[in-house]
Amino acid sequence: MSTLKVGTIQDHANSNTAISIDSSGRVTTPQLIAFMGQKTNGSGYSTSGAIPFNQTHLAHASWSGSTFTAPIAGTYMFTLTGHMQSTSNSGFELAIYKNGALAVTGYALNSTSTRQRVQVTYLQTLAATNTIDFRVLQGDVWDGAQSGISCTGQLMG
């Protein structure tokens, strides 16, 4: 049995650090492909086009604030979460789109006494340049402060 002792792995051409391993075995990579978008304008949002998120966290260059474009081929996971703004007896539906086509939805039937929350999760293998965006298909979503509508995406491998 052999033991490989290494703390840093560099790319072959430019000696840039590609992977670091600390003494506890935690692995970090400098080019994490991940993002989180939030819409926190403080009102209801109900259009069916790509949601323009006004706050971004962990932004990778492939996230525009409304659309994610896969920088490399791989398996990605996306989530979209929000709750209905109004209290009415109507449907509330959130959706994730791949390359402009509906991929997956989450639906709830609202009541006059509550505001339903919906979460949509999408795990998919993407080719480089495939796009993902997030939409409201029915109802109106609350986009206020910390409890507004949010989305996430990350490369799984």
Side-chain angles (χ1 to χ4, degrees):
M1 165 91 72
S2 296
T3 301
L4 176 64
K5 295 182 179 184
V6 64
T8 302
I9 298 174
Q10 298 179 338
D11 73 274
H12 69 284
N14 302 312
S15 297
N16 294 324
T17 297
I19 298 173
S20 296
I21 306 166
D22 72 12
S23 61
S24 297
R26 292 180 292 248
V27 177
T28 59
T29 59
Q31 291 296 317
L32 180 67
I33 300 174
F35 68 90
M36 178 181 178
Q38 291 180 295
K39 186 154 180 59
T40 59
N41 300 86
S43 61
Y45 183 79
S46 60
T47 188
S48 62
I51 299 168
F53 293 91
N54 64 313
Q55 290 187 8
T56 297
H57 310 281
L58 298 174
H60 187 272
S62 54
W63 170 244
S64 73
S66 63
T67 303
F68 173 78
T69 303
I72 61 170
T75 301
Y76 293 82
M77 183 164 48
F78 302 95
T79 63
L80 175 61
T81 304
H83 69 268
M84 192 163 185
Q85 161 66 18
S86 61
T87 52
S88 64
N89 290 324
S90 60
F92 173 52
E93 188 172 19
L94 300 178
I96 298 175
Y97 276 62
K98 176 185 174 190
N99 296 328
L102 180 63
V104 64
T105 68
Y107 177 84
L109 183 59
N110 212 33
S111 75
T112 57
S113 61
T114 62
R115 296 187 303 168
Q116 294 294 328
R117 187 160 202 64
V118 170
Q119 180 170 344
V120 182
T121 302
Y122 184 52
L123 183 65
Q124 180 67 40
T125 300
L126 302 179
T129 74
N130 283 171
T131 61
I132 297 290
D133 64 66
F134 307 90
R135 303 181 190 199
V136 177
L137 295 185
Q138 292 184 50
D140 54 350
V141 66
W142 170 243
D143 66 353
Q146 288 11 345
S147 64
I149 188 168
S150 64
C151 67
T152 63
Q154 67 184 49
L155 174 66
M156 301 300 291

Coordinates of all heavy atoms in Angstrom, one line a residue, residues 20-114:
S20 N -6.9 22.3 -2.9 CA -6.1 22.3 -1.7 C -6.8 21.4 -0.7 O -8.0 21.2 -0.6 CB -6.1 23.8 -1.1 OG -5.5 24.7 -1.9
I21 N -5.9 20.7 0.1 CA -6.4 19.7 1.1 C -5.7 20.1 2.4 O -4.5 20.2 2.5 CB -6.0 18.3 0.7 CG1 -6.5 18.0 -0.7 CG2 -6.5 17.3 1.7 CD1 -5.9 16.7 -1.3
D22 N -6.5 20.4 3.4 CA -6.0 20.8 4.7 C -5.7 19.6 5.5 O -6.0 18.4 5.1 CB -6.8 21.8 5.4 CG -8.1 21.3 6.0 OD1 -8.3 20.1 6.1 OD2 -8.9 22.1 6.4
S23 N -5.1 19.8 6.7 CA -4.7 18.6 7.6 C -5.8 17.8 8.1 O -5.6 16.7 8.5 CB -3.9 19.1 8.8 OG -4.6 20.0 9.6
S24 N -7.1 18.3 8.0 CA -8.3 17.6 8.4 C -8.9 16.8 7.3 O -9.9 16.1 7.5 CB -9.3 18.5 9.1 OG -8.8 19.1 10.2
G25 N -8.3 17.0 6.1 CA -8.9 16.3 4.9 C -9.9 17.1 4.1 O -10.5 16.6 3.2
R26 N -10.2 18.3 4.5 CA -11.1 19.2 3.8 C -10.5 19.6 2.5 O -9.4 20.1 2.4 CB -11.5 20.4 4.6 CG -12.4 20.0 5.9 CD -12.7 21.2 6.7 NE -11.5 21.8 7.3 CZ -11.3 21.8 8.6 NH1 -12.2 21.3 9.4 NH2 -10.2 22.4 9.0
V27 N -11.3 19.5 1.4 CA -10.9 19.8 0.1 C -11.6 21.1 -0.4 O -12.8 21.3 -0.3 CB -11.2 18.7 -0.9 CG1 -10.8 19.1 -2.3 CG2 -10.6 17.4 -0.5
T28 N -10.8 22.1 -0.9 CA -11.3 23.3 -1.5 C -10.8 23.5 -2.9 O -9.7 23.0 -3.2 CB -10.9 24.5 -0.6 OG1 -9.5 24.6 -0.6 CG2 -11.5 24.4 0.8
T29 N -11.7 24.1 -3.7 CA -11.3 24.4 -5.1 C -11.6 25.9 -5.3 O -12.6 26.4 -4.8 CB -12.1 23.6 -6.1 OG1 -13.5 23.8 -5.9 CG2 -11.9 22.1 -5.9
P30 N -10.7 26.6 -6.0 CA -10.9 28.1 -6.1 C -12.0 28.5 -7.1 O -12.5 29.6 -7.1 CB -9.5 28.5 -6.6 CG -8.9 27.3 -7.3 CD -9.5 26.2 -6.5
Q31 N -12.4 27.6 -8.0 CA -13.4 27.9 -9.0 C -14.7 27.2 -8.7 O -15.3 26.5 -9.6 CB -12.9 27.6 -10.4 CG -11.8 28.5 -10.8 CD -12.2 29.9 -11.0 OE1 -13.3 30.2 -11.5 NE2 -11.4 30.8 -10.5
L32 N -15.3 27.4 -7.5 CA -16.6 26.8 -7.2 C -17.7 27.3 -8.1 O -17.9 28.6 -8.2 CB -16.9 27.1 -5.7 CG -18.2 26.5 -5.2 CD1 -18.1 25.0 -5.1 CD2 -18.5 27.1 -3.8
I33 N -18.4 26.5 -8.8 CA -19.5 26.9 -9.6 C -20.8 26.8 -8.8 O -21.3 25.7 -8.6 CB -19.6 26.0 -10.9 CG1 -18.3 26.2 -11.7 CG2 -20.8 26.5 -11.7 CD1 -18.3 25.3 -12.9
A34 N -21.2 27.9 -8.2 CA -22.4 28.0 -7.3 C -22.9 29.4 -7.3 O -22.2 30.3 -7.5 CB -22.0 27.5 -5.9
F35 N -24.2 29.5 -7.0 CA -24.8 30.9 -6.8 C -26.1 30.8 -6.0 O -26.7 29.7 -5.9 CB -25.1 31.5 -8.2 CG -26.2 30.8 -8.9 CD1 -27.6 31.2 -8.8 CD2 -26.0 29.7 -9.8 CE1 -28.6 30.5 -9.4 CE2 -27.0 29.1 -10.4 CZ -28.3 29.5 -10.2
M36 N -26.5 31.9 -5.5 CA -27.8 32.1 -4.8 C -28.3 33.4 -5.2 O -27.6 34.4 -5.1 CB -27.7 32.0 -3.3 CG -29.0 32.2 -2.6 SD -28.8 32.2 -0.8 CE -30.5 32.5 -0.4
G37 N -29.5 33.5 -5.7 CA -30.2 34.7 -6.0 C -31.4 34.9 -5.2 O -32.1 34.0 -4.8
Q38 N -31.7 36.2 -4.8 CA -32.8 36.5 -4.0 C -33.5 37.7 -4.6 O -32.8 38.6 -5.2 CB -32.5 36.9 -2.5 CG -32.0 35.7 -1.7 CD -31.7 36.1 -0.3 OE1 -30.7 36.9 -0.1 NE2 -32.4 35.6 0.6
K39 N -34.8 37.7 -4.6 CA -35.6 38.9 -5.0 C -36.2 39.5 -3.8 O -37.1 38.9 -3.1 CB -36.7 38.5 -6.0 CG -37.4 39.7 -6.6 CD -37.9 39.4 -8.0 CE -38.7 40.5 -8.6 NZ -37.8 41.8 -8.7
T40 N -35.8 40.7 -3.4 CA -36.2 41.3 -2.1 C -36.7 42.7 -2.3 O -36.3 43.6 -1.5 CB -35.0 41.3 -1.1 OG1 -33.9 42.0 -1.7 CG2 -34.5 39.9 -0.8
N41 N -37.5 43.0 -3.3 CA -37.9 44.3 -3.6 C -39.1 44.8 -2.7 O -39.4 45.9 -2.6 CB -38.4 44.5 -5.0 CG -37.3 44.2 -6.0 OD1 -37.1 43.0 -6.3 ND2 -36.6 45.2 -6.4
G42 N -39.7 43.9 -1.9 CA -40.7 44.2 -1.0 C -42.1 44.4 -1.6 O -42.9 45.2 -1.1
S43 N -42.4 43.6 -2.6 CA -43.8 43.6 -3.2 C -44.1 42.2 -3.7 O -43.3 41.3 -3.6 CB -43.9 44.7 -4.2 OG -42.9 44.4 -5.3
G44 N -45.2 42.1 -4.5 CA -45.5 40.9 -5.1 C -44.9 40.8 -6.5 O -44.7 41.9 -7.2
Y45 N -44.6 39.7 -7.0 CA -44.1 39.5 -8.4 C -44.8 38.4 -9.1 O -45.1 37.3 -8.5 CB -42.6 39.1 -8.3 CG -41.9 39.0 -9.6 CD1 -41.5 40.1 -10.3 CD2 -41.7 37.7 -10.2 CE1 -40.9 40.0 -11.5 CE2 -41.1 37.6 -11.4 CZ -40.7 38.8 -12.1 OH -40.1 38.7 -13.3
S46 N -45.3 38.7 -10.3 CA -46.2 37.7 -10.9 C -46.0 37.5 -12.4 O -46.8 36.9 -13.1 CB -47.7 38.1 -10.7 OG -47.9 39.4 -11.3
T47 N -44.9 38.0 -13.0 CA -44.7 37.8 -14.4 C -44.2 36.4 -14.7 O -43.7 35.7 -13.9 CB -43.7 38.8 -15.0 OG1 -43.7 38.7 -16.4 CG2 -42.3 38.6 -14.4
S48 N -44.4 35.9 -16.0 CA -44.0 34.6 -16.3 C -42.6 34.5 -17.0 O -42.1 33.4 -17.2 CB -45.0 33.9 -17.2 OG -45.1 34.6 -18.4
G49 N -41.9 35.6 -17.2 CA -40.6 35.6 -17.8 C -39.5 35.2 -16.7 O -39.9 35.0 -15.5
A50 N -38.3 35.2 -17.0 CA -37.2 34.9 -16.1 C -37.2 35.9 -15.0 O -37.3 37.1 -15.2 CB -35.9 34.9 -16.8
I51 N -37.2 35.5 -13.7 CA -37.3 36.4 -12.6 C -35.9 37.1 -12.5 O -34.9 36.5 -12.5 CB -37.5 35.5 -11.3 CG1 -38.8 34.8 -11.3 CG2 -37.4 36.5 -10.1 CD1 -39.0 33.8 -10.3
P52 N -36.0 38.4 -12.4 CA -34.8 39.2 -12.2 C -34.4 39.4 -10.7 O -34.9 40.2 -10.0 CB -35.2 40.6 -12.8 CG -36.6 40.7 -12.6 CD -37.2 39.3 -12.6
F53 N -33.6 38.5 -10.2 CA -33.2 38.5 -8.8 C -32.3 39.8 -8.6 O -31.4 40.0 -9.4 CB -32.5 37.2 -8.5 CG -33.4 36.0 -8.5 CD1 -33.5 35.3 -9.7 CD2 -34.1 35.7 -7.4 CE1 -34.3 34.2 -9.7 CE2 -34.9 34.6 -7.5 CZ -35.1 33.8 -8.6
N54 N -32.5 40.5 -7.5 CA -31.8 41.7 -7.3 C -30.7 41.6 -6.3 O -29.9 42.5 -6.2 CB -32.8 42.8 -6.8 CG -33.4 42.5 -5.5 OD1 -33.9 41.4 -5.3 ND2 -33.4 43.5 -4.6
Q55 N -30.5 40.4 -5.7 CA -29.4 40.2 -4.8 C -28.8 38.8 -5.2 O -29.5 37.9 -5.5 CB -29.8 40.1 -3.3 CG -30.2 41.4 -2.8 CD -30.5 41.3 -1.3 OE1 -30.2 40.3 -0.6 NE2 -31.0 42.4 -0.7
T56 N -27.4 38.8 -5.2 CA -26.7 37.6 -5.6 C -25.7 37.3 -4.5 O -25.0 38.2 -4.1 CB -26.1 37.7 -7.0 OG1 -27.1 37.9 -7.9 CG2 -25.3 36.5 -7.4
H57 N -25.5 36.0 -4.2 CA -24.5 35.6 -3.2 C -23.8 34.4 -3.9 O -24.4 33.6 -4.6 CB -25.2 35.1 -1.9 CG -26.2 36.1 -1.4 ND1 -25.8 37.2 -0.7 CD2 -27.5 36.1 -1.5 CE1 -26.8 37.9 -0.3 NE2 -27.9 37.3 -0.8
L58 N -22.5 34.2 -3.6 CA -21.7 33.2 -4.1 C -21.7 33.2 -5.7 O -21.7 32.1 -6.3 CB -22.1 31.8 -3.7 CG -22.1 31.5 -2.2 CD1 -22.7 30.2 -1.9 CD2 -20.7 31.5 -1.7
A59 N -21.8 34.4 -6.3 CA -22.0 34.4 -7.7 C -20.8 33.9 -8.5 O -19.7 34.4 -8.3 CB -22.3 35.9 -8.1
H60 N -21.1 33.0 -9.3 CA -20.1 32.5 -10.3 C -20.4 33.4 -11.6 O -21.5 33.8 -11.8 CB -20.3 31.0 -10.6 CG -19.2 30.5 -11.5 ND1 -19.3 30.5 -12.9 CD2 -18.0 29.9 -11.2 CE1 -18.2 30.0 -13.4 NE2 -17.4 29.6 -12.4
A61 N -19.4 33.6 -12.4 CA -19.5 34.4 -13.6 C -20.6 33.9 -14.5 O -21.1 34.7 -15.4 CB -18.2 34.5 -14.3
S62 N -21.0 32.7 -14.4 CA -22.0 32.1 -15.3 C -23.5 32.5 -14.9 O -24.4 32.1 -15.6 CB -21.9 30.6 -15.4 OG -21.9 30.1 -14.1
W63 N -23.6 33.2 -13.8 CA -24.9 33.6 -13.3 C -25.1 35.1 -13.5 O -24.3 35.9 -13.1 CB -25.0 33.3 -11.8 CG -26.2 33.9 -11.0 CD1 -26.2 34.9 -10.1 CD2 -27.6 33.6 -11.2 NE1 -27.4 35.2 -9.6 CE2 -28.3 34.4 -10.3 CE3 -28.3 32.8 -12.1 CZ2 -29.7 34.4 -10.3 CZ3 -29.7 32.7 -12.0 CH2 -30.4 33.5 -11.1
S64 N -26.2 35.4 -14.3 CA -26.4 36.8 -14.7 C -27.4 37.6 -13.8 O -27.6 38.8 -14.0 CB -27.0 36.9 -16.1 OG -28.4 36.4 -16.1
G65 N -27.9 36.9 -12.8 CA -28.9 37.5 -11.9 C -30.3 37.1 -12.3 O -31.3 37.3 -11.6
S66 N -30.5 36.5 -13.5 CA -31.7 35.9 -13.9 C -31.6 34.6 -14.7 O -32.5 33.8 -14.7 CB -32.5 36.9 -14.8 OG -31.8 37.1 -16.0
T67 N -30.4 34.4 -15.3 CA -30.2 33.1 -16.0 C -28.8 32.6 -15.7 O -27.8 33.3 -15.6 CB -30.2 33.4 -17.5 OG1 -31.5 34.0 -17.9 CG2 -30.0 32.2 -18.4
F68 N -28.7 31.3 -15.5 CA -27.5 30.6 -15.3 C -27.1 29.9 -16.7 O -27.9 29.2 -17.3 CB -27.6 29.5 -14.3 CG -26.4 28.6 -14.1 CD1 -25.3 29.1 -13.4 CD2 -26.4 27.3 -14.7 CE1 -24.1 28.3 -13.3 CE2 -25.2 26.5 -14.5 CZ -24.1 27.0 -13.8
T69 N -25.9 30.1 -17.1 CA -25.3 29.4 -18.3 C -24.2 28.5 -17.9 O -23.2 28.9 -17.3 CB -24.8 30.4 -19.3 OG1 -25.9 31.4 -19.6 CG2 -24.3 29.7 -20.6
A70 N -24.4 27.2 -18.1 CA -23.4 26.2 -17.6 C -22.1 26.5 -18.3 O -22.0 26.5 -19.5 CB -23.9 24.8 -17.9
P71 N -21.0 26.7 -17.5 CA -19.7 27.0 -18.1 C -19.0 25.7 -18.5 O -18.1 25.8 -19.4 CB -18.9 27.7 -16.9 CG -19.6 27.1 -15.7 CD -21.0 26.9 -16.0
I72 N -19.4 24.6 -17.9 CA -18.8 23.3 -18.3 C -19.9 22.2 -18.2 O -20.9 22.4 -17.5 CB -17.6 22.9 -17.4 CG1 -18.1 22.7 -15.9 CG2 -16.5 23.8 -17.5 CD1 -17.1 22.1 -15.0
A73 N -19.7 21.1 -18.9 CA -20.7 20.0 -18.8 C -20.6 19.4 -17.5 O -19.5 19.3 -16.9 CB -20.4 19.0 -19.9
G74 N -21.7 18.9 -16.9 CA -21.7 18.3 -15.6 C -23.1 18.1 -15.1 O -24.1 18.5 -15.7
T75 N -23.2 17.5 -13.9 CA -24.4 17.4 -13.2 C -24.6 18.5 -12.2 O -23.7 18.8 -11.4 CB -24.5 16.0 -12.4 OG1 -24.3 15.0 -13.4 CG2 -25.8 15.8 -11.7
Y76 N -25.7 19.2 -12.3 CA -26.0 20.4 -11.5 C -27.3 20.2 -10.7 O -28.2 19.5 -11.2 CB -26.2 21.6 -12.4 CG -25.0 22.1 -13.2 CD1 -24.5 21.5 -14.3 CD2 -24.2 23.2 -12.7 CE1 -23.4 21.9 -15.0 CE2 -23.1 23.6 -13.3 CZ -22.7 23.0 -14.5 OH -21.6 23.4 -15.2
M77 N -27.4 20.9 -9.6 CA -28.6 20.9 -8.8 C -29.1 22.4 -8.7 O -28.3 23.2 -8.3 CB -28.5 20.3 -7.5 CG -29.8 20.3 -6.7 SD -30.0 19.2 -5.3 CE -28.5 19.5 -4.3
F78 N -30.4 22.6 -8.9 CA -31.0 23.9 -8.8 C -32.2 23.8 -7.9 O -32.9 22.8 -7.8 CB -31.5 24.4 -10.2 CG -30.3 24.5 -11.1 CD1 -30.1 23.4 -12.0 CD2 -29.5 25.6 -11.2 CE1 -29.1 23.5 -12.9 CE2 -28.5 25.6 -12.1 CZ -28.2 24.6 -13.0
T79 N -32.5 24.9 -7.1 CA -33.7 25.0 -6.3 C -34.3 26.4 -6.5 O -33.6 27.4 -6.8 CB -33.4 24.8 -4.8 OG1 -32.6 25.9 -4.4 CG2 -32.8 23.5 -4.5
L80 N -35.6 26.4 -6.4 CA -36.4 27.7 -6.5 C -37.4 27.6 -5.3 O -38.2 26.6 -5.2 CB -37.1 27.8 -7.8 CG -38.0 29.0 -8.0 CD1 -37.3 30.3 -7.8 CD2 -38.7 28.9 -9.4
T81 N -37.5 28.6 -4.5 CA -38.4 28.6 -3.3 C -39.1 30.0 -3.2 O -38.4 31.0 -3.4 CB -37.5 28.4 -2.0 OG1 -36.8 27.2 -2.2 CG2 -38.4 28.3 -0.8
G82 N -40.3 29.9 -2.9 CA -41.1 31.2 -2.6 C -42.4 30.9 -2.1 O -42.9 29.7 -2.0
H83 N -43.1 31.9 -1.6 CA -44.5 31.8 -1.1 C -45.4 32.8 -1.7 O -44.9 33.9 -2.1 CB -44.6 31.7 0.4 CG -44.3 33.0 1.1 ND1 -43.0 33.3 1.6 CD2 -45.1 34.1 1.5 CE1 -43.1 34.5 2.2 NE2 -44.3 35.0 2.1
M84 N -46.6 32.5 -1.8 CA -47.6 33.3 -2.5 C -47.8 34.6 -1.7 O -47.9 34.6 -0.5 CB -48.9 32.6 -2.6 CG -49.9 33.3 -3.5 SD -51.2 32.1 -4.0 CE -52.1 33.1 -5.2
Q85 N -47.9 35.7 -2.4 CA -48.1 37.0 -1.9 C -49.5 37.2 -1.4 O -49.7 37.7 -0.3 CB -47.8 38.1 -2.9 CG -48.3 39.5 -2.7 CD -47.7 40.2 -1.5 OE1 -46.6 39.8 -1.0 NE2 -48.4 41.2 -1.0
S86 N -50.5 36.9 -2.2 CA -51.9 37.2 -1.8 C -52.5 36.0 -1.1 O -52.0 34.9 -1.2 CB -52.7 37.6 -3.1 OG -52.7 36.5 -4.0
T87 N -53.6 36.3 -0.4 CA -54.4 35.2 0.2 C -55.7 35.1 -0.5 O -56.6 35.8 -0.3 CB -54.6 35.5 1.7 OG1 -55.2 36.8 1.8 CG2 -53.3 35.4 2.5
S88 N -55.6 34.3 -1.5 CA -56.8 34.0 -2.4 C -56.9 32.6 -2.7 O -56.0 31.8 -2.6 CB -56.7 34.9 -3.7 OG -55.6 34.4 -4.4
N89 N -58.1 32.1 -3.1 CA -58.3 30.7 -3.5 C -57.9 30.5 -4.9 O -58.7 30.4 -5.8 CB -59.8 30.4 -3.3 CG -60.2 30.3 -1.9 OD1 -59.4 29.8 -1.0 ND2 -61.4 30.7 -1.6
S90 N -56.6 30.5 -5.1 CA -56.1 30.4 -6.5 C -54.8 29.5 -6.4 O -54.2 29.3 -5.4 CB -55.8 31.7 -7.1 OG -54.8 32.4 -6.3
G91 N -54.4 29.1 -7.6 CA -53.1 28.3 -7.7 C -51.9 29.2 -7.7 O -51.9 30.3 -8.0
F92 N -50.8 28.5 -7.2 CA -49.5 29.2 -7.2 C -48.5 28.2 -7.7 O -48.4 27.1 -7.2 CB -49.2 29.5 -5.7 CG -47.9 30.0 -5.4 CD1 -47.3 31.1 -6.2 CD2 -47.1 29.5 -4.4 CE1 -46.1 31.6 -5.9 CE2 -45.8 29.9 -4.1 CZ -45.3 31.0 -4.9
E93 N -47.8 28.6 -8.8 CA -46.8 27.7 -9.4 C -45.5 28.3 -9.8 O -45.5 29.4 -10.4 CB -47.5 27.1 -10.7 CG -46.7 26.0 -11.3 CD -47.5 25.3 -12.5 OE1 -48.5 26.0 -13.0 OE2 -47.2 24.2 -12.8
L94 N -44.4 27.7 -9.3 CA -43.1 28.1 -9.7 C -42.5 27.1 -10.6 O -42.8 25.9 -10.6 CB -42.2 28.2 -8.4 CG -42.7 29.2 -7.3 CD1 -41.8 29.1 -6.1 CD2 -42.8 30.6 -7.8
A95 N -41.5 27.6 -11.5 CA -41.0 26.7 -12.5 C -39.5 26.9 -12.7 O -39.0 28.1 -12.6 CB -41.7 26.8 -13.8
I96 N -38.8 25.9 -13.1 CA -37.4 26.0 -13.6 C -37.4 25.6 -15.0 O -38.0 24.6 -15.4 CB -36.5 25.1 -12.8 CG1 -36.5 25.5 -11.3 CG2 -35.1 25.1 -13.3 CD1 -35.7 24.6 -10.4
Y97 N -36.8 26.4 -15.9 CA -36.7 26.2 -17.3 C -35.3 25.9 -17.7 O -34.3 26.4 -17.2 CB -37.1 27.5 -18.1 CG -38.6 27.6 -18.2 CD1 -39.4 27.7 -17.1 CD2 -39.2 27.7 -19.5 CE1 -40.8 27.9 -17.3 CE2 -40.5 27.8 -19.7 CZ -41.3 27.9 -18.6 OH -42.7 28.1 -18.7
K98 N -35.1 24.9 -18.7 CA -33.8 24.6 -19.2 C -33.9 25.0 -20.7 O -34.8 24.5 -21.4 CB -33.5 23.1 -19.1 CG -32.2 22.6 -19.8 CD -32.1 21.1 -19.7 CE -30.9 20.7 -20.5 NZ -30.8 19.3 -20.7
N99 N -32.9 25.8 -21.2 CA -32.8 26.2 -22.6 C -34.2 26.8 -23.1 O -34.6 26.6 -24.2 CB -32.4 25.1 -23.5 CG -31.0 24.6 -23.1 OD1 -30.1 25.4 -22.7 ND2 -30.7 23.3 -23.3
G100 N -34.9 27.5 -22.2 CA -36.1 28.2 -22.6 C -37.3 27.3 -22.6 O -38.4 27.7 -22.9
A101 N -37.2 26.0 -22.2 CA -38.3 25.0 -22.2 C -38.6 24.6 -20.7 O -37.7 24.4 -19.9 CB -38.0 23.8 -23.0
L102 N -39.8 24.5 -20.4 CA -40.2 24.0 -19.1 C -39.6 22.7 -18.7 O -39.7 21.7 -19.4 CB -41.8 23.9 -19.0 CG -42.4 23.5 -17.7 CD1 -42.1 24.5 -16.6 CD2 -43.9 23.3 -17.8
A103 N -38.9 22.7 -17.5 CA -38.3 21.4 -17.1 C -39.0 20.8 -15.9 O -39.3 19.6 -15.9 CB -36.8 21.7 -16.7
V104 N -39.4 21.6 -14.9 CA -40.0 21.1 -13.7 C -40.8 22.2 -13.0 O -40.4 23.4 -13.1 CB -39.0 20.5 -12.7 CG1 -38.0 21.5 -12.2 CG2 -39.6 19.7 -11.6
T105 N -41.9 21.9 -12.3 CA -42.7 22.9 -11.6 C -43.0 22.4 -10.2 O -43.0 21.2 -9.9 CB -44.0 23.2 -12.3 OG1 -44.9 22.1 -12.2 CG2 -43.8 23.6 -13.8
G106 N -43.4 23.3 -9.4 CA -44.0 23.1 -8.1 C -45.3 23.9 -7.9 O -45.3 25.0 -8.3
Y107 N -46.3 23.2 -7.4 CA -47.6 23.9 -7.4 C -48.3 23.7 -6.0 O -48.1 22.7 -5.3 CB -48.5 23.2 -8.4 CG -50.0 23.7 -8.5 CD1 -50.3 24.8 -9.2 CD2 -50.9 23.0 -7.8 CE1 -51.6 25.3 -9.2 CE2 -52.3 23.5 -7.8 CZ -52.6 24.6 -8.5 OH -53.9 25.1 -8.6
A108 N -49.0 24.7 -5.6 CA -49.9 24.7 -4.4 C -51.2 25.4 -4.7 O -51.2 26.4 -5.4 CB -49.1 25.3 -3.2
L109 N -52.2 25.0 -4.1 CA -53.5 25.6 -4.1 C -53.6 26.5 -2.8 O -53.6 25.9 -1.7 CB -54.7 24.7 -4.2 CG -56.1 25.3 -4.4 CD1 -56.1 26.2 -5.6 CD2 -57.1 24.2 -4.4
N110 N -53.7 27.8 -3.0 CA -53.7 28.7 -1.9 C -55.1 28.7 -1.2 O -56.1 28.3 -1.8 CB -53.3 30.1 -2.3 CG -52.6 30.8 -1.3 OD1 -51.8 30.2 -0.5 ND2 -52.7 32.1 -1.3
S111 N -55.2 29.3 0.0 CA -56.5 29.5 0.6 C -56.5 31.0 1.1 O -55.6 31.7 1.0 CB -56.7 28.6 1.8 OG -55.9 29.0 2.9
T112 N -57.7 31.4 1.6 CA -57.8 32.8 2.0 C -57.2 33.1 3.4 O -57.1 34.2 3.8 CB -59.3 33.2 2.0 OG1 -60.0 32.4 2.9 CG2 -59.9 33.2 0.6
S113 N -56.8 32.0 4.1 CA -56.2 32.2 5.4 C -54.7 31.9 5.5 O -54.1 32.2 6.5 CB -56.9 31.3 6.4 OG -56.8 30.0 6.0
T114 N -54.1 31.4 4.5 CA -52.7 31.1 4.5 C -52.0 31.5 3.2 O -52.7 31.8 2.2 CB -52.4 29.6 4.7 OG1 -53.0 28.9 3.5 CG2 -53.0 29.1 6.0

